[in-house]
Amino acid sequence: MKRALFPLSVYILPQGYTRLRIFEPRYLHMVKTAMKEHSGFVLCHSDKTSTTEVSREGVFVEIVDFSQDSGGQLLIDVYARHRVLISDVSTDELNLKYGWCETVDKPLWELGSDGFVYHERLADLLRDLFVVNTELNDLYKKKNYADPIWVAARWLELLPLTLTQKQKIQSCRTYQAVAGVLFEVFDEQE
């Protein structure tokens, strides 16, 4: 399906939420269209090495709430539905990019038979983070601490890692590998 593309350095994975500040006319138009048509758009990363200048993969998001900041700029909360592969990118008269987006159905990582290694500790730490950060807690209307994949994905969104580090972790094949890397990061920060 053809979707509007929003290249941004925000890192979000399926079932994640984020708040975006919208001020450029082309993206205001994109949001207006998404609200009017009850559709979403795709968050992706800029890629200057690509002829399309956008990444090959993105995340389809839907608008779940909106408001204004103190300066009157539009704020939207979005929920990430699923990953997509992006192809056939074009640009309209507003310089808004569109791409053909194919849903990626496979999970982020395989859970494996020993899938709950580290899970309880990661879930407890994440729950504690949500308790002390009310803005984050309010943004995440749905939480699934029982799901190791959900917990690991939220840590990747929230930790102050470089985009390269996050993409490297996302490319791991198993939850166990991701959990191991997360604990390495935690150990480095202590």
Side-chain angles (χ1 to χ4, degrees):
M1 178 169 274
K2 187 176 179 180
R3 299 282 187 189
L5 305 177
F6 193 176
L8 202 57
S9 60
V10 169
Y11 189 80
I12 186 170
L13 294 169
Q15 299 180 25
Y17 292 88
T18 195
R19 179 166 290 153
L20 304 172
R21 178 173 278 110
I22 309 295
F23 52 88
E24 287 186 49
R26 62 183 163 171
Y27 298 122
L28 288 167
H29 173 75
M30 175 191 73
V31 168
K32 180 180 175 182
T33 301
M35 295 292 288
K36 180 179 168 185
E37 296 177 358
H38 302 287
S39 64
F41 53 91
V42 171
L43 284 177
C44 57
H45 296 111
S46 294
D47 182 355
K48 300 301 179 189
T49 64
S50 167
T51 57
T52 63
E53 298 185 348
V54 296
S55 57
R56 190 175 176 294
E57 191 172 316
V59 178
F60 175 73
V61 299
E62 294 176 336
I63 300 167
V64 294
D65 201 2
F66 61 94
S67 60
Q68 287 184 328
D69 67 9
S70 59
Q73 288 184 336
L74 177 64
L75 300 174
I76 61 171
D77 295 346
V78 297
Y79 175 73
R81 287 280 171 206
H82 51 78
R83 294 181 298 149
V84 296
L85 293 178
I86 303 167
S87 62
D88 298 327
V89 176
S90 60
T91 306
D92 70 6
E93 64 280 354
L94 294 174
N95 206 25
L96 181 62
K97 292 186 183 294
Y98 291 85
W100 183 258
C101 298
E102 181 183 335
T103 300
V104 176
D105 288 325
K106 66 180 188 173
L108 288 169
W109 310 287
E110 296 300 322
L111 198 51
S113 57
D114 57 344
F116 289 88
V117 172
Y118 304 122
H119 171 64
E120 192 172 311
R121 184 165 173 224
L122 285 171
D124 287 345
L125 290 169
L126 186 62
R127 191 177 291 109
D128 292 347
L129 179 64
F130 277 92
V131 167
V132 298
N133 189 324
T134 55
E135 186 176 320
L136 186 62
N137 191 53
D138 291 345
L139 183 62
Y140 273 84
K141 293 158 183 49
K142 299 177 190 174
K143 299 173 188 78
N144 191 359
Y145 298 113
D147 180 356
I149 304 291
W150 185 88
V151 169
R154 301 302 67 86
W155 277 117
L156 292 179
E157 293 169 352
L158 299 172
L159 282 173
L161 302 172
T162 66
L163 179 58
T164 303
Q165 288 173 311
K166 289 181 180 188
Q167 288 173 333
K168 179 181 176 186
I169 293 171
Q170 187 180 348
S171 70
C172 289
R173 293 178 179 248
T174 66
Y175 163 78
Q176 293 82 355
V178 172
V181 173
L182 285 172
F183 275 105
E184 286 175 18
V185 170
F186 291 146
D187 290 343
E188 289 172 6
Q189 293 181 357
E190 286 182 357

